[in-house]
Structure formats: structure tokens, C-alpha cells
Amino acid sequence: MAKMTIRSTYTFDVETVQKLDRLAEHWSTSKSEALRRSIDRVAEQTLRNCEDAIAALEELQRRMAEAGVDTEKWVKEIREERRASSRRSLRWIPK
């Protein structure tokens, strides 16, 4: 099955076009292909970073559960500390 392509027009500054030209030359491909590859790589990296962040959060939640941490109590304590800190700092603002 043939790939569907869409023609689009974009406006780039001179420096970006020069970088795209160098990438295309380095990869021995067209500027369109260099742009596609660049977008693919950034998209993959961004999604991987999001997945890593979610995995880290899930690991933290798992470890807290294993340690028997009462997360609801912990959240309340943190909120109270933040509110108290805000009240303290607001008292020191000169009038």
C-alpha cells in the first residue's frame, strides 16, 4: 500500500533551513525525508520521556504502598505545611 503524503508549506528562519540542509546532506536524503526523520526522533524521545515519568510515579506509588505509607494523610500534611509556609512568608512582606 502506498504511503499517503500531504504537501505543506512552512516558514523557517535561515539558520533552521541551513541545519535542515546539512542534515539532509549528512543522511544523503531529501530535505523532506530529513524533516520526517527529525520529527520521528523527537516524537519518540518525547513519548519515551513521558513513559519514563509515568513509570517513575508508578514505582514511587508502589514503594509507598509497600512501606505502608498512608498517602491520604501524607497529602494532607504536605498541604498543611504549604499553607503554613505561605502564611509565614506573607507576614514578612513589607507594606
Side-chain angles (χ1 to χ4, degrees):
M1 188 162 130
K3 261 190 178 177
M4 187 172 95
T5 59
I6 300 171
R7 290 192 178 271
S8 298
T9 302
Y10 298 96
T11 305
F12 297 116
D13 57 79
V14 174
E15 187 178 327
T16 301
V17 172
Q18 290 171 343
K19 289 176 185 177
L20 181 59
D21 286 338
R22 287 194 301 270
L23 275 175
E25 185 177 329
H26 176 73
W27 289 335
S28 300
T29 189
S30 68
K31 287 191 275 187
S32 293
E33 180 61 22
L35 189 55
R36 266 192 299 277
R37 289 182 188 182
S38 299
I39 291 170
D40 284 345
R41 288 180 184 186
V42 169
E44 285 176 20
Q45 183 179 17
T46 301
L47 292 176
R48 198 174 315 116
N49 289 343
C50 289
E51 290 167 358
D52 290 348
I54 291 170
L57 175 61
E58 289 172 346
E59 177 69 11
L60 173 64
Q61 291 172 334
R62 184 186 64 75
R63 287 183 181 199
M64 289 178 77
E66 286 176 356
V69 175
D70 182 347
T71 54
E72 289 181 23
K73 180 182 173 188
W74 181 74
V75 168
K76 284 180 184 178
E77 289 172 358
I78 295 298
R79 285 186 179 144
E80 288 172 10
E81 288 176 15
R82 288 181 181 163
R83 285 187 189 115
S85 174
S86 294
R87 284 193 296 270
R88 281 193 303 268
S89 63
L90 289 176
R91 277 186 259 152
W92 291 100
I93 296 176
K95 293 183 180 181

